[in-house]
Amino acid sequence: FELDSSTKNDGMWGQRQADPIAALRQVNERSYILFPPESELSKAGIPVFDYYSSAALKGEELSLNFFEPRYLKLVREAMAGNGWFILRGRQILDTDGIVSASVLMKITEHATDGRNSFIQCTAGPRIRVLEQEEVPVVEENAPPMIRATHVVFYQDKDDCHLSTLESMRSKCLDLIFAVQPPKIVIYHGPPPLDPENFSFWVLRFIIDDAESKHEWLTCHSTSQRLKFALAMLQHQDQQLDQE
């Protein structure tokens, strides 16, 4: 497996279409990825890609190159279905047991040369794998592919009042436009109204390393993510004022 960062911003979401029909289609497709129906989780199973060196926040895009037999099988199985697979990162011991920084990923573009599979994918919601199975791979001595057979959406357990979360969201949004060029903000898509979804949208402007992403993906608190984002954006704003 290789992470192909050279094409990370190309393809389906990297170039905005002038055609309004195409633009509307892209909006609908992106909405389906970010907010998939729960019925998507009740299907036969979702292949799992265990990889701790990368992570994706909701709405982020990754370009990946698979060449191991188990991951080639993963791509074939995903493409034979609805394009979903699970990117599973670092695991932590939580009050609910073992929880991993897992995200439902949707393949949006795919190409192969017979020995490699090149995909572009977009991150959807956080997911929790409750049950899984090993699927043998034809190639001799190849590790099995992992398929999740029982999954649920992973949601926050925040007891903070909604009005407080909305206030932090508003402050973060003002700061984003103060410290980021409008083009960059527009590229990331419209800011979600829901504070939990917004917290991941705003983190995409602040963190880019896998370890930090794993930490916030496993966090149960919208308010903690927004407080962190607010502090970081205020620091950036102060630095700009001093320059």
Side-chain angles (χ1 to χ4, degrees):
F1 158 77
E2 292 178 352
L3 176 65
D4 185 1
S5 59
S6 63
T7 59
K8 187 174 180 180
N9 294 326
D10 294 338
M12 186 173 179
W13 304 111
Q15 297 178 354
R16 302 299 177 189
Q17 300 290 333
D19 181 359
I21 301 299
L24 181 60
R25 187 183 303 115
Q26 288 190 356
V27 169
N28 289 335
E29 290 173 350
R30 189 168 181 83
S31 178
Y32 170 70
I33 294 171
L34 299 180
F35 308 102
E38 291 209 27
S39 59
E40 292 290 322
L41 306 183
S42 62
K43 304 234 173 131
I46 306 174
V48 177
F49 176 36
D50 284 306
Y51 189 61
Y52 303 159
S53 298
S54 184
L57 302 176
K58 195 172 188 177
E60 272 193 307
E61 300 161 18
L62 290 179
S63 295
L64 307 174
N65 173 21
F66 292 116
F67 50 83
E68 290 186 50
R70 56 178 165 168
Y71 297 137
L72 293 176
K73 182 176 179 65
L74 176 151
V75 174
R76 290 195 299 270
E77 184 165 305
M79 294 304 296
N82 47 23
W84 295 113
F85 71 97
I86 295 171
L87 175 61
R88 183 162 60 182
R90 179 173 61 87
Q91 297 187 356
I92 65 167
L93 180 61
D94 189 65
T95 53
D96 295 333
I98 299 296
V99 177
S100 62
S102 303
V103 176
L104 192 62
M105 305 290 295
K106 173 77 169 178
I107 298 175
T108 55
E109 296 182 13
H110 170 240
T112 181
D113 61 5
R115 295 193 302 176
N116 298 269
S117 280
F118 309 95
I119 66 169
Q120 181 151 325
C121 49
T122 302
R126 293 177 295 172
I127 209 84
R128 187 173 181 186
V129 178
L130 300 181
E131 296 177 12
Q132 65 183 44
E133 63 183 0
E134 293 187 352
V135 182
V137 177
V138 174
E139 286 77 0
E140 187 177 357
N141 298 323
M145 185 195 79
I146 302 299
R147 180 191 292 138
T149 55
H150 184 192
V151 298
V152 294
F153 288 126
Y154 185 85
Q155 295 178 324
D156 283 347
K157 302 174 182 178
D158 223 306
D159 57 2
C160 192
H161 198 277
L162 179 59
S163 61
T164 303
L165 298 177
E166 289 177 339
S167 175
M168 286 192 286
R169 176 194 177 276
S170 179
K171 292 176 182 177
C172 284
L173 193 56
D174 288 342
L175 285 167
I176 279 290
F177 281 99
V179 302
Q180 293 285 347
K183 274 188 176 181
I184 299 298
V185 180
I186 292 171
Y187 174 79
H188 283 74
L193 294 174
D194 174 69
E196 180 178 338
N197 291 318
F198 176 84
S199 69
F200 288 108
W201 181 86
V202 73
L203 282 178
R204 292 165 56 195
F205 294 91
I206 298 169
I207 60 175
D208 58 8
D209 63 292
E211 189 66 23
S212 296
K213 290 179 182 179
H214 287 160
E215 177 183 351
W216 291 113
L217 284 168
T218 54
C219 173
H220 287 292
S221 174
T222 299
S223 61
Q224 285 186 24
R225 284 192 299 273
L226 289 176
K227 286 176 183 176
F228 170 78
L230 194 54
M232 296 295 292
L233 291 170
Q234 287 172 339
H235 178 67
Q236 291 180 21
D237 191 39
Q238 290 170 1
Q239 285 185 319
L240 288 175
D241 286 342
Q242 294 172 1
E243 293 178 356

